[in-house]
Amino acid sequence: MIRISIITITYNAARTLQRTLDSVLSQTYPHIEHLIIDGASKDDTLRIAQQYQAASRHEVIIQSEPDNGLYDAMNKGLQKATGHYIVFLNAGDSFYAPDTIQTVVNAITPHPSDLILQTSSLPAVVYGDTAITDGEGRFLHLRRHRPPKVLTWRSFKKGMLVCHQAFYARLDIARQFPYNLKYRHSADVDWCIRIMKEADRLGLPLVNANVIVANFEEGGDTTKHHQASLWERFDVMAAHYGYVQTVLLHAWFILRSVLMKINKNK
C-alpha cells in the first residue's frame, strides 16, 4: 500500500497546532506517518504534540531540537521520512477534508492493479487546489494562484501555481533535492521546481487530483516577509528560467497588477 509521510514543522506553535493535528487525526486513510519536527519550542507545543501522539492511530514521530530555521527543519523531516510520498503541512494548515489523503492516493494509483507497480513507475508529484482560511480555520476564498490542469516545471514562470501544502512529492525523488538554505522565504518554490525538472528528465507524470486538498492559513511567512520573498522568488525564477525572461515576466506582472487596480476603481 502507498504510505504517505506528513511533515509538520513547529516552533512555539501552541496557538495553531491543534487544528493541524486534528486534521491529520481525522484522515480516513490508514497508511500515514506523521513527523512533527520542532525547533525546541518554549510554549505548550510539545505537550500538545505528545497528547496527539498518544491518541493517534497513525504512526507519529516527534523530534525537538534547535534548528537553523524553517527550511533546515524541513530538510530534517525529509531525511527522516519513510513513506512513498511526502507532504508538508505546517502548524495552522490543515487538510481540506477527512478523505483528502485517500483522494490523493486514488490519484496515485487509480486502479487496484497499480498497487503492484514498482515505485519507480509511480507519478513524481500529485497536486491539487488550496483554500485560504482565517486564523480560526474558516474558509475565506480559494488561493489566487490556481493549479493548472497540466503542470510542468515551466508552469511556475507564472508564479507558484501550486501551494507547497498541496504538492505531494515522491520521497525518493524529493530527498535528492534538499531545500536550499540560502533562500530564507522562498526555498519551497525552488524545491518544487527542481523536483518537477527531475520528473521531466525521468519522464514521470505530475498528476492533478482535481480537488481542493489543503487549507492554508492567511498570513504565513511569505505574507509577513512579502518584500524579501518577492526578491527571493525573482532570484529563484532567474536561476531556473533565465534572467531576461524573468525580467520580462515581472514587467508583465507589474502591468497586470496596475490594470487590475484601475479596473477595480472604475
Side-chain angles (χ1 to χ4, degrees):
M1 297 297 289
I2 296 296
R3 180 174 165 89
I4 304 293
S5 292
I6 302 164
I7 301 175
T8 298
I9 307 303
T10 60
Y11 180 69
N12 292 342
R15 182 187 69 82
T16 57
L17 180 58
Q18 191 63 57
R19 179 165 67 250
T20 303
L21 301 183
D22 289 345
S23 171
V24 180
L25 195 62
S26 72
Q27 292 302 298
T28 58
Y29 188 73
H31 305 291
I32 289 175
E33 168 190 68
H34 192 186
L35 296 97
I36 301 171
I37 309 298
D38 180 70
S41 290
K42 298 175 177 61
D43 63 359
D44 284 339
T45 296
L46 277 179
R47 180 184 61 79
I48 293 169
Q50 288 163 353
Q51 288 177 344
Y52 159 75
Q53 184 181 43
S56 179
R57 67 185 184 282
H58 307 307
E59 180 181 356
V60 178
I61 298 166
I62 301 172
Q63 176 177 306
S64 182
E65 62 185 22
D67 55 49
N68 292 317
L70 175 65
Y71 296 117
D72 180 44
M74 286 183 170
N75 281 338
K76 290 179 180 182
L78 197 57
Q79 293 305 313
K80 202 171 185 65
T82 62
H84 295 93
Y85 287 80
I86 61 161
V87 64
F88 287 88
L89 195 76
N90 293 334
D93 304 324
S94 57
F95 293 115
Y96 187 72
D99 64 349
T100 292
I101 297 295
Q102 181 66 66
T103 301
V104 169
V105 170
N106 290 346
I108 294 168
T109 54
H111 306 292
S113 60
D114 290 343
L115 295 175
I116 64 173
L117 292 175
Q118 293 291 326
T119 300
S120 60
S121 66
L122 294 175
V125 172
V126 176
Y127 65 97
D129 213 336
T130 303
I132 303 300
T133 67
D134 65 13
E136 301 302 318
R138 293 182 292 256
F139 176 86
L140 295 176
H141 53 82
L142 289 177
R143 189 168 177 263
R144 182 173 66 84
H145 285 308
R146 305 295 301 284
K149 289 196 175 296
V150 178
L151 180 70
T152 75
W153 69 270
R154 294 176 180 84
S155 300
F156 276 30
K157 288 180 184 179
K158 300 176 182 178
M160 194 175 187
L161 299 187
V162 178
C163 186
H164 195 218
Q165 290 81 354
F167 189 91
Y168 291 72
R170 236 176 62 183
L171 179 61
D172 61 330
I173 297 174
R175 190 173 276 159
Q176 298 174 44
F177 302 99
Y179 291 88
N180 189 336
L181 300 186
K182 80 173 184 178
Y183 300 121
R184 293 182 59 83
H185 311 295
S186 299
D188 52 344
V189 184
D190 172 68
W191 182 76
C192 289
I193 295 172
R194 286 189 289 151
I195 289 172
M196 291 188 290
K197 276 186 169 180
E198 181 67 4
D200 184 66
R201 188 185 73 81
L202 296 173
L204 293 171
L206 311 176
V207 175
N208 192 339
N210 292 305
V211 294
I212 303 170
V213 296
N215 294 319
F216 177 71
E217 184 178 346
E218 192 172 50
D221 181 78
T222 300
T223 304
K224 293 173 183 175
H225 303 94
H226 184 64
Q227 198 68 34
S229 175
L230 288 177
W231 281 112
E232 278 196 359
R233 289 192 182 209
F234 181 92
D235 288 344
V236 169
M237 290 178 68
H240 289 288
Y241 306 123
Y243 183 82
V244 173
Q245 190 169 91
T246 300
V247 168
L248 292 174
L249 284 166
H250 277 71
W252 163 242
F253 295 158
I254 293 168
L255 177 60
R256 182 181 61 185
S257 177
V258 170
L259 291 173
M260 288 174 63
K261 286 180 180 178
I262 291 173
N263 289 331
K264 187 176 180 180
N265 292 329
K266 282 183 177 180

